[in-house]
Amino acid sequence: MAHKNPSPAVDIIIEMVDRPDRPIILIERLNPPYGWAIPGGFMDYGEPAETTARREAMEEIGLAVDLVELLQVYSDPKRDARQHTVSLVYIATAKGEPTAGDDAKNAKIVNVWELPNNLCFDHDRILHDYLQLRHYGIRPRVG
């Protein structure tokens, strides 16, 4: 049996600092699984995770981002039905108007109290952890 490793990826919670209440950006996925997600994607070989985050933000929403902090690493083998994916989730800031690109069908700015129900992967858990940190200063638990 061939040895198999999880695929490394990044996801980026992008706060729009040029708008009241610092809403975030979601993308509607063009490819399965369909639904809404925080921007992100797979790391390229030899690419640092921070570079991947900036590249994916530019490709998917057309905005340069400033990375603020690492929220958490999410590695549950069931978080992505396509394959075992390990995601480093960053909190970032941006200004401007997002435009959908790459594998994003749409991009929209949403207030955190208006999140859609059809979030992909484990992004509901990720956004819950983000809100706990943002509003209460509680960092996500490991494991």
Side-chain angles (χ1 to χ4, degrees):
M1 178 177 197
H3 182 73
K4 227 176 155 178
N5 290 327
S7 297
V10 299
D11 290 300
I12 318 113
I13 300 168
I14 303 168
E15 300 175 336
M16 299 303 296
V17 293
D18 58 348
R19 299 205 175 43
D21 298 325
R22 294 174 79 116
I24 63 170
I25 298 174
L26 295 180
I27 61 157
E28 184 178 17
R29 291 183 46 82
L30 182 62
N31 301 305
Y34 300 114
W36 291 92
I38 55 179
F42 293 104
M43 293 174 64
D44 290 338
Y45 185 81
E47 182 179 51
E50 299 82 5
T51 302
T52 302
R54 291 183 189 99
R55 174 180 55 78
E56 286 290 340
M58 186 57 71
E59 289 175 0
E60 290 191 342
I61 61 164
L63 294 177
V65 297
D66 291 317
L67 300 179
V68 176
E69 66 181 295
L70 180 68
L71 174 66
Q72 182 63 281
V73 175
Y74 295 84
S75 62
D76 185 335
K78 297 176 185 161
R79 68 178 300 273
D80 185 338
R82 301 170 299 174
Q83 62 186 343
H84 183 183
T85 303
V86 175
S87 183
L88 290 83
V89 179
Y90 290 96
I91 298 172
T93 60
K95 296 178 182 176
E97 196 62 42
T99 55
D102 195 28
D103 60 353
K105 181 178 176 182
N106 291 304
K108 71 177 179 177
I109 298 171
V110 299
N111 290 306
V112 294
W113 59 85
E114 301 173 316
L115 295 173
N117 290 327
N118 59 334
L119 291 170
C120 295
F121 313 111
D122 59 350
H123 290 190
D124 56 342
R125 176 183 174 204
I126 291 170
L127 289 171
H128 175 268
D129 289 349
Y130 161 74
L131 291 172
Q132 290 289 309
L133 177 62
R134 241 335 136 240
H135 295 294
Y136 305 109
I138 300 170
R139 292 213 62 87
R141 295 182 63 128
V142 177

